[in-house]
Amino acid sequence: MTDLTLGTFGDGDSADNDLDPDAASIARCATACRAPDRDDGSWAAPDEDWGLTTQRPVSSINTSAGRATKQQTRWVVGGDVGDYVEQYATGDLLQIPNTYGDFSSVDTRVTFIDGLADSYGYGIDAQALEKALRVLTSGGRYTASRYTAIPCGKQPWILTGPEGTLLCSCMPVERPENPYTRKLRTPETTLQIEEQNQTVLTGAAEFAHLLSDVLGVDIESVEHATVRGQTQHSFIDGEDKFPIKASDLAQLHGLTSDPSVIQGTVSRGVQPPNGGDPISVEWDGPDHPVGYLDEGDVIAGYEFAWEQPEESLEDVAVVREYRITRNYSRWTVDYHTHRLASVVP
């Protein structure tokens, strides 16, 4: 029986050098071993991460590519790397450059586009890949064919080689030259959008539906932009644009479309935020349906909440009536607060 070691997949002198093993095959041969004793740092006690036993560095590790933070690279000391990769890997591999000087040619791999993040999203870029390799090799010389990087979607990715295996967190990345898009399905059409945060996606679908159903907008596409450090999605209808911040779209997530649902729920009793017995709340409005036009605003949904107004020493039960409105050249999401009519002990 053939002894499948990492050398089988990467040794230039091997007769099997033309083979292109898949991620799972490589991961099943990955080495899990004790974190090395090195002069440049020490490792914390073992911990469990997604079925793998890992050790984090006690402090950031300084490399020639920059500092690798404590959560960025974890040394895999136990567990089944093959099972982890089979569960989370995206099916492809990242090629390791032949020299450290070639890392500038590595394209950014976006694993999660997040309009609520401070950056375009999260993923693996040239600097993150080089940092991880330098942590694994201690910055020494290496043979690229003996190392493999395995993307695992939103989960931490794997870097494995003769020294051992690292579990590497996806880090903030900037927008690549060839951006990624995801499908956004609405009742009217399917659009492509640069977004993967489900909260933003849900809000974007609702915003698109309101534009189409209430304002008669025929959305053709969605454009991504960063304005003053914040992600903005513009819904396009011919020459007309309907820009809105991702953080505003997120507010449309999870709203109640029928105000009578809230009325029925609160009348059966709600728990005060500071504890105590449930109280019954009576409410006589508002009752505008979603999509109702109110002085140019579009009613988008409702939410029950507790608030503490400045003039009150206690929390007050309210219903928030969310609406989308045009604010100069951009659309925004805001809400009107309606204090509930009475509280019955």
Side-chain angles (χ1 to χ4, degrees):
M1 180 178 292
T2 303
D3 180 19
L4 294 179
T5 64
L6 282 172
T8 305
F9 297 129
D11 190 345
D13 297 329
S14 171
D16 296 329
N17 191 47
D18 293 334
L19 293 177
D20 185 17
D22 61 22
S25 298
I26 294 176
R28 282 193 290 270
C29 301
T31 301
C33 60
R34 186 171 64 89
D37 294 325
R38 292 175 177 168
D39 295 336
D40 57 354
S42 57
W43 303 86
D47 199 0
E48 294 295 321
D49 291 301
W50 294 281
L52 299 175
T53 305
T54 64
Q55 286 184 266
R56 301 170 186 257
V58 172
S59 59
S60 298
I61 298 176
N62 192 29
T63 76
S64 297
R67 298 190 70 83
T69 60
K70 291 188 292 183
Q71 70 272 20
Q72 191 169 356
T73 55
R74 284 156 280 184
W75 202 280
V76 178
V77 299
D80 194 324
V81 180
D83 282 351
Y84 176 86
V85 167
E86 285 186 348
Q87 184 173 358
Y88 298 115
T90 55
D92 55 346
L93 305 174
L94 289 182
Q95 185 175 357
I96 304 297
N98 289 324
T99 67
Y100 288 120
D102 293 333
F103 272 86
S104 59
S105 64
V106 174
D107 293 330
T108 297
R109 172 68 62 91
V110 179
T111 58
F112 187 70
I113 307 169
D114 190 351
L116 300 183
D118 292 334
S119 60
Y120 178 75
Y122 299 90
I124 311 166
D125 60 11
Q127 187 181 45
L129 186 61
E130 183 179 355
K131 283 182 184 179
L133 184 66
R134 287 182 179 274
V135 170
L136 189 60
T137 64
S138 193
R141 300 178 65 178
Y142 67 94
T143 301
S145 59
R146 303 188 71 191
Y147 296 84
T148 304
I150 307 174
C152 295
K154 293 190 296 183
Q155 303 297 121
W157 50 283
I158 293 290
L159 177 65
T160 187
E163 296 86 356
T165 301
L166 294 180
L167 185 67
C168 308
S169 296
C170 295
M171 302 301 288
V173 295
E174 298 304 321
R175 189 169 185 252
E177 291 185 5
N178 299 312
Y180 294 68
T181 60
R182 296 295 182 268
K183 289 183 178 180
L184 174 65
R185 292 184 173 87
T186 72
E188 295 79 18
T189 186
T190 298
L191 303 167
Q192 297 290 329
I193 186 172
E194 292 178 61
E195 184 64 69
Q196 284 180 279
N197 186 307
Q198 191 56 53
T199 300
V200 179
L201 284 174
T202 302
E206 181 61 23
F207 182 66
H209 173 64
L210 290 172
L211 288 180
S212 175
D213 192 48
V214 180
L215 302 180
V217 176
D218 185 13
I219 302 171
E220 301 170 355
S221 61
V222 184
E223 294 180 354
H224 178 285
T226 301
V227 180
R228 298 184 183 91
Q230 293 185 311
T231 296
Q232 177 177 282
H233 294 294
S234 293
F235 294 72
I236 310 299
D237 176 8
E239 296 182 357
D240 296 327
K241 289 188 176 183
F242 299 82
I244 184 170
K245 292 190 298 184
S247 56
D248 279 325
L249 291 174
Q251 293 190 75
L252 298 177
H253 170 79
L255 298 181
T256 299
S257 59
D258 185 355
S260 65
V261 173
I262 293 181
Q263 186 172 358
T265 301
V266 299
S267 64
R268 292 193 296 269
V270 291
Q271 184 74 40
N274 57 354
D277 296 330
I279 59 175
S280 178
V281 179
E282 296 179 2
W283 179 42
D284 57 4
D287 57 1
H288 298 311
V290 167
Y292 179 81
L293 275 171
D294 183 21
E295 298 181 354
D297 294 350
V298 180
I299 304 301
Y302 297 88
E303 177 186 49
F304 173 80
W306 293 91
E307 294 183 355
Q308 187 174 20
E310 293 182 1
E311 70 277 6
S312 175
L313 297 178
E314 297 180 348
D315 292 306
V316 175
V318 301
V319 170
R320 294 172 178 170
E321 181 187 54
Y322 284 81
R323 43 183 70 201
I324 60 173
T325 184
R326 186 154 200 161
N327 186 2
Y328 297 101
S329 62
R330 190 179 72 242
W331 286 77
T332 61
V333 175
D334 201 355
Y335 60 82
H336 291 181
T337 297
H338 300 271
R339 184 168 179 169
L340 297 181
S342 61
V343 176
V344 181

Short mmCIF file of all heavy atoms in Angstrom, two decimals, residues 41-67:
data_model
loop_
_atom_site.label_atom_id
_atom_site.label_comp_id
_atom_site.label_asym_id
_atom_site.label_seq_id
_atom_site.Cartn_x
_atom_site.Cartn_y
_atom_site.Cartn_z
N GLY A 41 8.32 33.48 20.29
CA GLY A 41 7.02 33.48 20.94
C GLY A 41 6.68 32.14 21.57
O GLY A 41 7.37 31.14 21.36
N SER A 42 5.61 32.15 22.36
CA SER A 42 5.14 30.93 23.00
C SER A 42 3.66 30.75 22.68
O SER A 42 3.01 31.62 22.11
CB SER A 42 5.36 31.02 24.52
OG SER A 42 4.70 32.17 25.05
N TRP A 43 3.12 29.59 23.08
CA TRP A 43 1.76 29.22 22.71
C TRP A 43 0.91 29.00 23.95
O TRP A 43 1.38 28.49 24.97
CB TRP A 43 1.79 27.96 21.85
CG TRP A 43 2.63 28.12 20.62
CD1 TRP A 43 3.98 27.93 20.53
CD2 TRP A 43 2.19 28.54 19.33
NE1 TRP A 43 4.42 28.20 19.25
CE2 TRP A 43 3.34 28.58 18.49
CE3 TRP A 43 0.96 28.89 18.80
CZ2 TRP A 43 3.27 28.94 17.15
CZ3 TRP A 43 0.89 29.25 17.46
CH2 TRP A 43 2.03 29.28 16.65
N ALA A 44 -0.36 29.35 23.85
CA ALA A 44 -1.29 29.19 24.96
C ALA A 44 -1.70 27.73 25.09
O ALA A 44 -1.36 26.88 24.25
CB ALA A 44 -2.52 30.08 24.74
N ALA A 45 -2.47 27.44 26.13
CA ALA A 45 -2.95 26.08 26.35
C ALA A 45 -3.88 25.66 25.21
O ALA A 45 -4.54 26.50 24.59
CB ALA A 45 -3.68 26.00 27.68
N PRO A 46 -3.95 24.37 24.91
CA PRO A 46 -4.82 23.89 23.82
C PRO A 46 -6.28 24.27 24.04
O PRO A 46 -6.76 24.35 25.16
CB PRO A 46 -4.62 22.37 23.85
CG PRO A 46 -3.28 22.18 24.50
CD PRO A 46 -3.17 23.27 25.51
N ASP A 47 -6.96 24.51 22.92
CA ASP A 47 -8.37 24.87 22.94
C ASP A 47 -9.06 24.14 21.79
O ASP A 47 -8.40 23.60 20.90
CB ASP A 47 -8.53 26.38 22.79
CG ASP A 47 -9.90 26.87 23.26
OD1 ASP A 47 -10.71 26.03 23.70
OD2 ASP A 47 -10.15 28.08 23.17
N GLU A 48 -10.39 24.12 21.81
CA GLU A 48 -11.15 23.44 20.76
C GLU A 48 -11.74 24.47 19.80
O GLU A 48 -12.39 25.43 20.23
CB GLU A 48 -12.28 22.60 21.37
CG GLU A 48 -11.80 21.43 22.21
CD GLU A 48 -11.05 20.39 21.39
OE1 GLU A 48 -11.48 20.12 20.24
OE2 GLU A 48 -10.05 19.85 21.89
N ASP A 49 -11.53 24.28 18.50
CA ASP A 49 -12.08 25.15 17.46
C ASP A 49 -12.64 24.29 16.34
O ASP A 49 -11.88 23.64 15.62
CB ASP A 49 -11.00 26.08 16.89
CG ASP A 49 -10.55 27.14 17.89
OD1 ASP A 49 -11.40 27.92 18.33
OD2 ASP A 49 -9.35 27.18 18.21
N TRP A 50 -13.97 24.26 16.21
CA TRP A 50 -14.63 23.54 15.12
C TRP A 50 -14.15 22.08 15.01
O TRP A 50 -13.90 21.57 13.92
CB TRP A 50 -14.42 24.26 13.80
CG TRP A 50 -15.07 25.60 13.75
CD1 TRP A 50 -16.39 25.87 13.52
CD2 TRP A 50 -14.44 26.86 13.96
NE1 TRP A 50 -16.62 27.22 13.58
CE2 TRP A 50 -15.44 27.86 13.84
CE3 TRP A 50 -13.13 27.26 14.22
CZ2 TRP A 50 -15.17 29.21 13.99
CZ3 TRP A 50 -12.86 28.60 14.37
CH2 TRP A 50 -13.87 29.55 14.25
N GLY A 51 -14.01 21.42 16.14
CA GLY A 51 -13.62 20.02 16.14
C GLY A 51 -12.12 19.79 16.09
O GLY A 51 -11.68 18.63 16.13
N LEU A 52 -11.34 20.84 16.00
CA LEU A 52 -9.88 20.72 16.00
C LEU A 52 -9.32 21.24 17.32
O LEU A 52 -9.84 22.19 17.89
CB LEU A 52 -9.28 21.52 14.84
CG LEU A 52 -9.70 21.10 13.43
CD1 LEU A 52 -9.10 22.05 12.40
CD2 LEU A 52 -9.27 19.66 13.13
N THR A 53 -8.26 20.60 17.79
CA THR A 53 -7.55 21.09 18.97
C THR A 53 -6.43 22.00 18.49
O THR A 53 -5.59 21.60 17.68
CB THR A 53 -6.97 19.92 19.78
OG1 THR A 53 -8.02 19.01 20.11
CG2 THR A 53 -6.34 20.43 21.07
N THR A 54 -6.44 23.23 18.97
CA THR A 54 -5.47 24.22 18.48
C THR A 54 -4.80 24.94 19.64
O THR A 54 -5.29 24.93 20.77
CB THR A 54 -6.16 25.27 17.59
OG1 THR A 54 -7.11 26.00 18.38
CG2 THR A 54 -6.87 24.61 16.42
N GLN A 55 -3.67 25.57 19.33
CA GLN A 55 -2.98 26.45 20.27
C GLN A 55 -2.77 27.80 19.61
O GLN A 55 -2.24 27.89 18.50
CB GLN A 55 -1.63 25.85 20.68
CG GLN A 55 -1.73 24.68 21.63
CD GLN A 55 -0.36 24.21 22.08
OE1 GLN A 55 0.21 23.29 21.48
NE2 GLN A 55 0.17 24.83 23.12
N ARG A 56 -3.21 28.85 20.30
CA ARG A 56 -3.00 30.21 19.82
C ARG A 56 -1.68 30.73 20.38
O ARG A 56 -1.27 30.35 21.48
CB ARG A 56 -4.13 31.13 20.29
CG ARG A 56 -5.51 30.73 19.84
CD ARG A 56 -6.57 31.56 20.56
NE ARG A 56 -7.91 31.10 20.24
CZ ARG A 56 -8.73 31.72 19.39
NH1 ARG A 56 -8.34 32.83 18.81
NH2 ARG A 56 -9.93 31.24 19.14
N PRO A 57 -1.03 31.63 19.66
CA PRO A 57 0.15 32.28 20.25
C PRO A 57 -0.26 33.14 21.43
O PRO A 57 -1.36 33.71 21.45
CB PRO A 57 0.71 33.11 19.08
CG PRO A 57 -0.42 33.27 18.14
CD PRO A 57 -1.30 32.08 18.28
N VAL A 58 0.60 33.23 22.42
CA VAL A 58 0.31 34.04 23.60
C VAL A 58 0.21 35.51 23.22
O VAL A 58 -0.59 36.27 23.78
CB VAL A 58 1.38 33.81 24.68
CG1 VAL A 58 1.21 34.78 25.84
CG2 VAL A 58 1.31 32.37 25.18
N SER A 59 1.00 35.93 22.26
CA SER A 59 0.96 37.31 21.78
C SER A 59 1.15 37.30 20.27
O SER A 59 1.43 36.26 19.67
CB SER A 59 2.05 38.15 22.45
OG SER A 59 3.33 37.60 22.19
N SER A 60 0.97 38.45 19.65
CA SER A 60 1.14 38.54 18.20
C SER A 60 2.54 38.11 17.80
O SER A 60 3.51 38.31 18.54
CB SER A 60 0.89 39.98 17.73
OG SER A 60 -0.44 40.38 18.02
N ILE A 61 2.63 37.51 16.62
CA ILE A 61 3.92 37.05 16.11
C ILE A 61 4.40 38.04 15.05
O ILE A 61 3.68 38.32 14.08
CB ILE A 61 3.80 35.64 15.51
CG1 ILE A 61 3.37 34.64 16.59
CG2 ILE A 61 5.12 35.21 14.87
CD1 ILE A 61 3.14 33.23 16.07
N ASN A 62 5.58 38.56 15.23
CA ASN A 62 6.13 39.53 14.29
C ASN A 62 6.79 38.79 13.13
O ASN A 62 7.67 37.96 13.32
CB ASN A 62 7.15 40.43 14.99
CG ASN A 62 7.54 41.61 14.13
OD1 ASN A 62 6.74 42.07 13.31
ND2 ASN A 62 8.76 42.11 14.30
N THR A 63 6.32 39.08 11.90
CA THR A 63 6.92 38.49 10.70
C THR A 63 7.36 39.61 9.77
O THR A 63 6.99 40.77 9.96
CB THR A 63 5.92 37.58 9.96
OG1 THR A 63 4.97 38.40 9.25
CG2 THR A 63 5.18 36.66 10.91
N SER A 64 8.12 39.26 8.75
CA SER A 64 8.56 40.26 7.79
C SER A 64 7.41 40.81 6.95
O SER A 64 7.55 41.83 6.28
CB SER A 64 9.62 39.66 6.86
OG SER A 64 10.77 39.29 7.60
N ALA A 65 6.25 40.13 7.00
CA ALA A 65 5.06 40.60 6.28
C ALA A 65 4.12 41.39 7.19
O ALA A 65 3.05 41.81 6.76
CB ALA A 65 4.31 39.42 5.68
N GLY A 66 4.52 41.59 8.45
CA GLY A 66 3.68 42.28 9.41
C GLY A 66 3.35 41.37 10.58
O GLY A 66 3.72 40.19 10.61
N ARG A 67 2.68 41.91 11.57
CA ARG A 67 2.36 41.14 12.77
C ARG A 67 1.14 40.26 12.53
O ARG A 67 0.10 40.72 12.06
CB ARG A 67 2.10 42.08 13.95
CG ARG A 67 3.30 42.94 14.33
CD ARG A 67 3.08 43.66 15.64
NE ARG A 67 3.09 42.74 16.77
CZ ARG A 67 4.20 42.31 17.36
NH1 ARG A 67 5.38 42.71 16.92
NH2 ARG A 67 4.14 41.50 18.38
#
